Amino acid sequence: MSKTILTGIKPTGEPHLGNFLGAIQPALELARNHESDDKYFFIADYHALTTLKDPALMAQYRQIIAATWLSFFREEKKCYFYFQSDISEIFELYWILSCFCPKGLLNRAHAYKALVSQNNENNHDNDRNINQGVFSYPVLMAADILLFKATHIPIGPDQKQHVEIAIEIVKSLNKYLKEPIPIPKPIIDDSIELVIGTDGQKMSKNYNNTIPIFSDEKALKKILGKVQTDSTPLGQPLNPDACNVYKLLQYVTPTDRLKEIKNEYKSGSIGYGHAKQYLLAQYQEHFKHAQNNFFNLIENTSLIHERMAESTQQVQLVAKQQLAYIKSSLGF
């Protein structure tokens, strides 16, 4: 049975390790294992508008995330890249799906509930500083997925509920369609359920603890130097299972090399300074080829525009056809 793979990244900051592990790496693996299937990878710029209102930053981050996608995908077949905002059919479908989505479903969305709870704790009105885009975010995500009949959605664990909401919406819509839209399946790597940041907590732009994918050596060394460790003195054995540096090494280090480093931890032959040097080296090696591609694209933005434009045309044809079918099925 053929698959359709789809995932996106919001342009709200520099792409970081969490983006890579949660979306890009699983997308790459699926693309390589399913060459004959369609793969849709997009820049979720209208999703970003819920929080990012600075026009200059929006333009900058859109280019950066586009270059990020393109720098990792060089030879993979049947991969389509596009800006969400360039596919107008997504937003027309968003309204249609809104009419099939119970409001109570959105009331229970984790992100919305967290903001309401925060307002309550601070004795504010429940909906203070919560825009409609934040509330209906899951419906727009459902439109992203269902317009292309996506079957497999590589995401981080924090996005799982959004796919579950899309499933509930498509079940309601399918009652009116002669050819039902497939039920999407979230693809989550349980081994990286919680990607830690420099402070040992969940990596998030909100916590200012991210590690960028693309950075020069000097800046990256400074960031990795901030990774929190305990006070075990040099010469004493280190516990790799309790070490944030070692946890980060696990994300970017080949198995054999990781085993060597683990033995050095337990023998006491290295300290945290050495471990951070290892992390710097492994991190640079892991992203070396993608980083070269990335900076080439950023320095030649016409290459980004050319590749995106060609791909977008094909995406628009699919989107137009699918939306027309849904509208016809509903009597329009």
Side-chain angles (χ1 to χ4, degrees):
M1 181 180 177
S2 64
K3 298 178 176 63
T4 300
I5 298 157
L6 179 145
T7 195
I9 298 176
K10 288 194 298 182
T12 52
E14 300 286 339
H16 58 74
L17 181 63
N19 298 138
F20 174 76
L21 295 173
I24 298 171
Q25 180 172 268
L28 263 173
E29 292 173 356
L30 286 167
R32 291 166 180 169
N33 293 332
H34 302 277
E35 288 189 356
S36 62
D37 296 319
D38 290 329
K39 281 82 65 175
Y40 295 91
F41 305 124
F42 66 99
I43 297 90
D45 45 5
Y46 267 20
H47 277 300
L49 193 59
T50 60
T51 56
L52 180 60
K53 303 296 195 297
D54 184 314
L57 280 179
M58 177 67 81
Q60 177 185 347
Y61 290 149
R62 287 174 82 249
Q63 292 298 310
I64 287 174
I65 299 303
T68 299
W69 275 124
L70 297 176
S71 62
F72 281 100
F73 290 78
R74 299 286 289 179
E75 307 296 334
E76 288 71 25
K77 300 176 181 177
K78 300 190 73 174
C79 293
Y80 305 105
F81 303 93
Y82 57 97
F83 292 104
Q84 180 190 37
S85 58
D86 284 341
I87 312 300
S88 59
E89 290 82 2
I90 292 173
F91 311 105
E92 190 170 350
L93 180 59
Y94 158 79
W95 174 254
I96 293 172
L97 297 183
S98 294
C99 299
F100 285 85
C101 178
K103 178 176 178 291
L105 202 58
L106 301 182
N107 288 340
R108 296 190 292 274
H110 298 321
Y112 172 68
K113 285 176 62 179
L115 291 173
V116 170
S117 177
Q118 183 178 339
N119 280 333
N120 286 334
E121 290 175 5
N122 294 320
N123 295 317
H124 295 312
D125 179 79
N126 280 356
D127 291 325
R128 182 176 184 264
N129 293 332
I130 301 176
N131 58 59
Q132 174 63 22
V134 170
F135 181 70
S136 59
Y137 186 107
V139 184
L140 181 55
M141 186 166 167
D144 291 323
I145 295 168
L146 304 182
L147 184 62
F148 300 102
K149 299 182 179 180
T151 59
H152 292 70
I153 320 297
I155 52 170
D158 58 331
Q159 295 289 313
K160 181 181 178 182
Q161 188 193 39
H162 290 153
V163 179
E164 292 171 346
I165 290 174
I167 291 172
E168 293 305 311
I169 294 173
V170 76
K171 286 179 179 177
S172 298
L173 180 62
N174 274 345
K175 297 174 184 177
Y176 299 87
L177 305 180
K178 293 181 180 178
E179 295 182 13
I181 295 173
I183 302 299
K185 177 183 179 182
I187 304 298
I188 302 172
D189 187 343
D190 293 332
S191 65
I192 54 166
E193 186 169 346
L194 177 63
V195 179
I196 67 164
T198 53
D199 58 358
Q201 305 302 308
K202 175 185 175 182
M203 185 174 292
S204 171
K205 296 166 189 171
N206 295 331
Y207 303 149
N208 195 32
N209 66 353
T210 60
I211 303 173
I213 298 174
F214 307 119
S215 181
D216 63 59
E217 182 174 352
K218 183 178 180 180
L220 182 60
K221 184 176 181 179
K222 184 177 181 180
I223 292 169
L224 296 181
K226 296 178 181 178
V227 176
Q228 293 184 4
T229 57
D230 61 32
S231 57
T232 303
L234 183 65
Q236 293 294 317
L238 304 177
N239 180 3
D241 297 329
C243 176
N244 293 327
V245 179
Y246 188 80
K247 290 176 183 177
L248 290 167
L249 276 163
Q250 290 177 304
Y251 299 138
V252 295
T253 308
T255 302
D256 290 345
R257 177 61 180 140
L258 191 64
K259 187 180 297 184
E260 293 174 357
I261 295 173
K262 189 171 188 177
N263 289 335
E264 291 186 53
Y265 261 75
K266 292 182 175 181
S267 70
S269 60
I270 63 170
Y272 289 123
H274 301 96
K276 289 181 179 181
Q277 290 176 8
Y278 291 161
L279 177 58
L280 175 64
Q282 292 299 327
Y283 202 92
Q284 289 181 300
E285 179 63 25
H286 192 73
F287 292 113
K288 179 174 63 177
H289 296 299
Q291 180 164 292
N292 291 337
N293 295 334
F294 176 81
F295 285 117
N296 181 52
L297 288 166
I298 290 297
E299 293 170 5
N300 301 276
T301 54
S302 61
L303 296 176
I304 299 176
H305 299 150
E306 288 173 11
R307 291 190 63 186
M308 294 294 291
E310 180 182 354
S311 186
T312 298
Q313 287 182 348
Q314 298 174 333
V315 175
Q316 287 171 331
L317 289 174
V318 176
K320 184 176 181 179
Q321 182 180 14
Q322 175 65 353
L323 180 64
Y325 164 68
I326 294 172
K327 290 174 66 175
S328 175
S329 300
L330 297 174
F332 292 93

